Amino acid sequence: MNTPFLSFNHKQIKQLTLIGFIVAFLVSCTKEAQVTTHNFNKGWQFSKGEITAAIQPAFNDSAWETINIPHDWSIKGPFSKDNPSFSRGGWLPTGKCTYRKTFTVDANANEHKVFVYFDGAYRNSTVYINGNKVGFRPLGYIGFEYDLTKFIKFKGENVLTVTLDNSSQPGSRWYSGTGIYRDVTLKIRNKTYIPTWSLYVTTPQISKNKATINTKFKVTSEFNKAKHVLTKTSILKNDKVITSKEDKLTISKGINEEFSIDLDIINPEFWSPESPNLYTVKVELFENGELIGTESTRTGIRTLDYNKDSGFSINGVQTKLKGVCLHHGGGPLGAAVYRRTIERQLEILREMGCNAVRTAHNPFSTEFLDVCDEMGFLVMNEMFDEWEVVKEPATTQNGKKVRIPVDFYANQFKEWADKDLTDFVLRDRNHPSVIMWSIGNEIDQMKTDEGIPIAERLIDIIHNLDYRPVTNGLIGYGWDAWPSDEAAATSDIKGFNYIKENGFVREEALFPEAMGIVTECASAQSFYPRGTYLYGAQKKAWWDNLNYESKDAYNWVETRGLIGERGYASWRAVKKRKGVMGQFIWTGFDYLGEVIPFGWPARSSSFAPIDLCGFPKDGYYFYQSQWTSKPMVHIFPHWNLEGMEGKEVAVYAYTNGDEVELFQDGKSLGKQSNDINDVEYQQWKVIYTPGTLKAIASKNGKIVAEKEVKTAGKPAKIELFARRSNLKANGTDLAYIECTILDADGNVVPNADNLIEFKVDGVGTLIGVGNGDNMNHDSFQASSRKAFNSKCLAIIKTSEKTGDIKFTASSKGLETATIKFITE
Ligand code: GAL
């Protein structure tokens, strides 16, 4: 239950209206309100810097900024060559900061306990309640809970202070963000309660007609005398109870009693990527007929099978993992977690044909896994990027590529790894989307036998808590520095990063019994920014403009070319091997930081077939051609290649048909065949003249898809596209509005860079803008954005008011465009 009036800071107290008081009073009178979880995201005071005095409750924070969680302040910028996060952190600012929240608790000291839960705070968080330290957590990606009860004032105001320290830089190999960037909740519980994460649901027996759901949970009590309680375990589908069971328990003080309850479901609806059916398991505690506590979780009924010969199967259906690695960020919104950002990312990935995500290389938010559960994505849930040895990645600093150690996690590993891993598994193990765990990415210690005892220890921790297999993304297959075979053998499923054909051949010969998965591989995508096709003098000018001292970046980008053949090769090796469970391309979306192979001015990566704003690049259509069956054809480059008149240009096509015919101004340039098992793309040499290119794809002799690319005229209008027009009036729902510049005839103007002004009227706010240009240093928080290669993006956040939102995009010389939303 969301009860916003139960928590507020002193500023808000003054602003509360009479109606607010009445509602608060009514809420506090219900028994249920006293045993519940409150969203604790609103009304925090925030200041950059370490402000020690702010730990004390009496500190006056009224001059601080009032913010709501999720909050990432690094994303506000500015980008600067002087920021010590360097190219690794996208040149964005980092540092220390302090948050405070003043609140009252509507509970009673004799009966209740108070906990605060953070799903993630980046990083080195220390939490204080009323001046007392309750905990420190170095890892910024981990969820953690503190028991505040001892220091809580049940009457009067409480002050929660959180200090973060993200000042040691470069502190990550990619952009991390800084702040309380995921949900915070306040939990008020009866002193007899089910501890967080103790509820664990599995389905030990599944058949077509019946599934047995096993629910384990603990109950503890802090009352001095033994308590007699009744537990009611129920399974719900679409909010309706299907089956339930009651048990009587006696709980003594300080004892964590563990319970295990089996319930059968007749004719279960299975969870699968196509039909992600979810059930809710709810455990209620009653004392003398009165509800004193509830814990619930969602679950999905599915059988998972892992096999060296048939790969991965779900519900008996062999399923190749067509996966992407993702970093945790949300593009222009930085690390701040909004459910809608995740939904949109996964919608775009699904349209590309992707069915699986690897959470590179750290725990993601609970919302992320919730959305994967709801949409049927399969998740490789990964924990570590470093064990005990610090990584020293190539980082651009002062125009030079140097190896700088990142102060990430290696120095905390010995002390924290076991606890962090345990908490990670406990938090995430009920998600049906999670199909395997990963204990690492390119861990240096796995190169030698030094990795064996560490890997074994981590795997044991997981096996003791959960039934799903463990992998570990190792580097070196097919390279000079092969990983230790003995260390690699510790995983249930071998994780191959960047394996090549010869690596598979060796593995198959030496370890025919081993199961394997390509934890990471190159994507079939050029490193040039989206929609960038450069020839001759233009190419030279582009590179001259970047002013790179070394040829390194140029060589790297040019070797990869316009089509990224290494990506084809990795998919080819996986698809022809039935036993290899699948692959995860690096990456699904571009992310901030790790600007390899570029340096300044690049501030985001360019590995992915989808840019930082969610706009597809050409590689996106390669995956669509290989991973989807809905007929499609794509051709590139665009056909506004000024300066290339009379010269030869390579034109490429991707299709899932079996033939493509290319026409230039109505004249056929020939048919080319396609076979997804053997041919990845089609190519024609075309003499460029302004006009029209058209690709017609056919299957079994029938036309199935067409794509036309025309030389566009001058920019004349703006086209707006949003995936939804009905939004939630919850203060956190988002509308992503994609803007495309068209000519007077409606053709996309592929290199248009018009500055677009945005205006939002009604019950929404503009919270982010972007254009997918990985070299751009304009702020993500602005009321205008230049288009980059015809496109830019605006993100609106709803308020809690229902009503209309009108979004207007205008630009000098272009027809203005508007789009409307309703919030309910
Ligand atoms: C991989 C690594 C990723 C990323 C990528 C960039 O080796 O696992 O985290 O750094 O290289 O190419």
Side-chain angles (χ1 to χ4, degrees), residues 173 327 361 441-442 475 497-498 520 586 591 594 596 607:
R173 295 195 303 111
H327 271 314
H361 307 296
N441 173 60
E442 302 186 351
I475 188 75
N497 273 24
Y498 297 93
E520 191 174 320
W586 191 262
Y591 52 95
E594 191 163 61
I596 297 171
F607 299 104

Side-chain angles (χ1 to χ4, degrees), residues 80-143:
S80 163
K81 252 184 171 170
D82 297 331
N83 281 330
S85 64
F86 301 130
S87 58
R88 286 278 150 193
W91 313 100
L92 282 162
T94 49
K96 297 183 180 179
C97 62
T98 311
Y99 294 82
R100 293 180 102 239
K101 182 164 171 67
T102 304
F103 63 102
T104 57
V105 182
D106 190 5
N108 119 30
N110 297 328
E111 257 184 72
H112 294 124
K113 291 187 65 67
V114 181
F115 299 85
V116 67
Y117 173 76
F118 292 82
D119 206 40
Y122 209 91
R123 66 178 173 149
N124 290 314
S125 63
T126 311
V127 177
Y128 304 85
I129 180 75
N130 300 327
N132 305 284
K133 178 173 163 182
V134 286
F136 166 74
R137 206 69 191 235
L139 182 61
Y141 295 112
I142 199 78

Side-chain angles (χ1 to χ4, degrees), residues 4 7 9 12 39-44 67-69 101 800:
S7 60
N9 64 28
Q12 288 169 310
N39 177 307
F40 216 43
N41 288 348
K42 281 200 270 172
W44 289 73
I67 59 100
N68 291 337
I69 310 294
K101 182 164 171 67
E800 288 181 11

Side-chain angles (χ1 to χ4, degrees), residues 149-355:
T149 317
K150 206 162 115 194
F151 306 110
I152 277 285
K153 287 192 206 152
F154 284 85
K155 289 199 166 65
E157 286 187 347
N158 294 280
V159 181
L160 193 67
T161 306
V162 181
T163 63
L164 303 181
D165 183 352
N166 189 20
S167 56
S168 180
Q169 293 294 325
S172 175
R173 295 195 303 111
W174 57 88
Y175 173 77
S176 64
T178 314
I180 307 181
Y181 66 109
R182 295 182 187 162
D183 273 354
V184 186
T185 44
L186 188 80
K187 299 177 183 176
I188 300 174
R189 290 171 161 149
N190 187 283
K191 279 187 174 174
T192 301
Y193 65 101
I194 301 167
T196 293
W197 300 333
S198 76
L199 179 61
Y200 179 41
V201 177
T202 54
T203 34
Q205 275 171 19
I206 302 178
S207 71
K208 206 166 164 261
N209 306 326
K210 197 178 96 176
T212 305
I213 297 206
N214 176 261
T215 304
K216 290 193 172 57
F217 57 93
K218 290 180 181 158
V219 184
T220 189
S221 177
E222 292 179 20
F223 287 105
N224 283 329
K225 59 174 193 191
K227 286 278 172 179
H228 304 287
V229 293
L230 179 92
T231 65
K232 184 175 175 195
T233 307
S234 315
I235 300 187
L236 295 88
K237 177 97 188 132
N238 303 328
D239 295 332
K240 283 204 186 93
V241 176
I242 308 174
T243 173
S244 65
K245 198 169 180 181
E246 294 184 356
D247 295 88
K248 283 189 179 150
L249 319 168
T250 300
I251 316 283
S252 308
K253 186 179 180 184
I255 308 283
N256 249 323
E257 297 276 5
E258 191 161 9
F259 301 94
S260 175
I261 286 153
D262 282 339
L263 283 164
D264 288 343
I265 297 190
I266 305 304
N267 297 329
E269 291 181 54
F270 293 149
W271 186 94
S272 69
E274 298 74 31
S275 308
N277 287 300
L278 291 169
Y279 291 86
T280 298
V281 177
K282 182 157 95 174
V283 182
E284 292 162 297
L285 292 185
F286 295 90
E287 189 186 11
N288 300 325
E290 199 178 294
L291 182 68
I292 58 164
T294 310
E295 284 290 316
S296 60
T297 187
R298 294 191 304 187
T299 191
I301 300 169
R302 79 280 188 261
T303 49
L304 305 176
D305 185 62
Y306 313 82
N307 183 290
K308 72 171 175 66
D309 299 317
S310 52
F312 170 74
S313 301
I314 180 161
N315 304 324
V317 179
Q318 199 198 339
T319 304
K320 197 64 111 183
L321 301 177
K322 298 163 177 168
V324 300
C325 300
L326 287 181
H327 271 314
H328 69 123
L333 301 182
V337 171
Y338 292 93
R339 172 177 255 272
R340 182 60 203 155
T341 308
I342 302 163
E343 285 172 354
R344 175 175 178 263
Q345 278 191 338
L346 295 180
E347 284 164 13
I348 294 169
L349 287 171
R350 164 136 308 157
E351 289 155 17
M352 185 173 89
C354 164
N355 62 6

